[in-house]
Amino acid sequence: MSLPDLPDVDVVIATHDRPVLVREAIAAVVGQAYPGRVRCIVVFDRSTPDPDLCAYGDGDRRTVDVVANDRSPGLAGARNTGILAGDGALVAFCDDDDLWLPGKLERQVRALVAGGPPTCVTGIEVDYDGTTTTRVPTPASLELRHLVRRRVMEAHPSTVLVRRRELLKDIGLVDEDIPGSYGEDFDWMIRAAGAGGFHVVPAPLVRVRWGGSQFSRQWGTIADAIDYGLAKHAVFHEDRRALARLLGRKAFALAALGRRDALRWAGRTAWTSPGSRGRTSPRWSRCGS
């Protein structure tokens, strides 16, 4: 790509009370070798913006802007604030505790400017409890028919790069109405899969520093969010295994709450897909900053 052909990229980093980690995330973004313009938009959610972060930019092809979340509190509102604050042809996300690895942005831009799907993802390195695990999605795993059956953790939101036009017109912003923002990344991925699908760069180009899910014990929120997703996405009702997976997760959440109707939901799970051997416990999801 010659320099005039390079699209501007807006990178949205939503942050909340992670002053050290967010600096590392910003440094990894502005340090990308991509020769085009990169604007890093750091959105402070329920906290006071730190203008000193602007110093990470060079004033030319790398800029860092700091803004406050002016939409609903939480990750969904913060990401949307950042999206709407930018004007770059491409939009990327990075969680404030994740790190982009060298070559990430340029390889994804090359995929998107070639045409085809409007969204591009990469693989990840998951750092957890002193170990590192590499996870790389396949194009087949991100087809809508497979995605509804399994939340593909390899397709992490910190790997997403998407064309702004399709993001705003066809896919849509992050859903701020999901209870507790639980599963907002999965919801967005489902919509992206149905709006043209994904390029996949088959390499681990983001380091995900996982400390566990903030929803590990918020069973009521999990149950409400599952109901919301089932009402929103008809595709779950078109696949018995996909439906059974969500009903099983709801049954597990209700059982954890001590609800008497948990058994009824477990029965619905078995009736929906008698041969299903899917998990009934909630899988981890990076749904909070």
Side-chain angles (χ1 to χ4, degrees):
M1 290 181 290
S2 61
L3 195 59
D5 297 327
L6 297 174
D8 290 352
V9 180
D10 292 333
V11 183
V12 178
I13 301 180
T15 189
H16 176 73
D17 291 342
R18 285 173 171 162
V20 175
L21 292 176
V22 74
R23 283 169 169 76
E24 295 175 354
I26 294 168
V29 168
V30 301
Q32 291 286 305
Y34 175 65
R37 177 179 175 272
V38 177
R39 179 187 180 194
C40 189
I41 304 172
V42 185
V43 184
F44 277 75
D45 177 46
R46 297 160 291 168
S47 55
T48 303
D50 180 2
D52 291 342
L53 299 181
C54 296
Y56 281 84
D58 63 10
D60 184 18
R61 306 203 70 79
R62 296 289 184 272
T63 58
V64 178
D65 294 334
V66 176
V67 301
N69 179 11
D70 60 6
R71 296 174 67 91
S72 60
L75 182 57
R79 280 189 180 150
N80 289 339
T81 293
I83 292 168
L84 297 174
D87 58 7
L90 302 178
V91 179
F93 304 124
C94 183
D95 286 354
D96 61 357
D97 56 345
D98 294 336
L99 297 172
W100 283 9
L101 300 179
K104 187 257 189 200
L105 188 54
E106 184 168 5
R107 292 181 67 174
Q108 286 188 287
V109 172
R110 287 184 180 277
L112 286 179
V113 299
T119 306
C120 183
V121 297
T122 77
I124 57 176
E125 293 180 354
V126 181
D127 284 354
Y128 175 65
D129 197 25
T131 63
T132 299
T133 304
T134 296
R135 304 289 294 269
V136 179
T138 64
S141 70
L142 295 178
E143 294 176 7
L144 183 59
R145 61 194 178 99
H146 293 144
L147 191 61
V148 296
R149 291 187 175 186
R150 172 178 173 265
R151 169 64 179 97
V152 182
M153 64 164 288
E154 298 94 319
H156 191 278
S158 289
T159 75
V160 165
L161 182 69
V162 59
R163 298 187 195 109
R164 175 178 292 274
R165 181 179 60 188
E166 285 90 340
L167 166 60
L168 296 179
K169 179 182 178 182
D170 302 322
I171 303 173
L173 296 173
V174 184
D175 190 340
E176 299 178 37
D177 292 328
I178 298 175
S181 287
Y182 176 78
E184 45 72 36
D185 54 337
F186 185 38
D187 172 89
W188 193 90
M189 288 289 187
I190 289 173
R191 288 185 278 131
F198 304 88
H199 286 282
V200 177
V201 177
L205 296 175
V206 174
R207 180 168 298 130
V208 174
R209 297 184 285 193
W210 182 44
S213 171
Q214 68 165 336
F215 292 100
S216 59
R217 293 295 182 269
Q218 297 181 23
W219 305 117
T221 298
I222 291 171
D224 290 343
I226 290 171
D227 284 343
Y228 181 91
L230 289 172
K232 178 178 180 178
H233 295 290
V235 67
F236 288 129
H237 300 272
E238 297 166 1
D239 186 304
R240 293 176 69 88
R241 285 179 57 187
L243 180 58
R245 181 179 71 90
L246 290 178
L247 294 179
R249 292 173 69 184
K250 179 176 179 179
F252 186 97
L254 295 177
L257 289 169
R259 291 262 299 268
R260 293 183 177 180
D261 55 346
L263 187 59
R264 175 168 59 87
W265 285 99
R268 285 192 60 182
T269 302
W271 179 86
T272 299
S273 183
S276 176
R277 299 176 61 87
R279 295 176 181 265
T280 56
S281 58
R283 296 170 61 89
W284 76 268
S285 177
R286 292 292 300 280
C287 305
S289 53

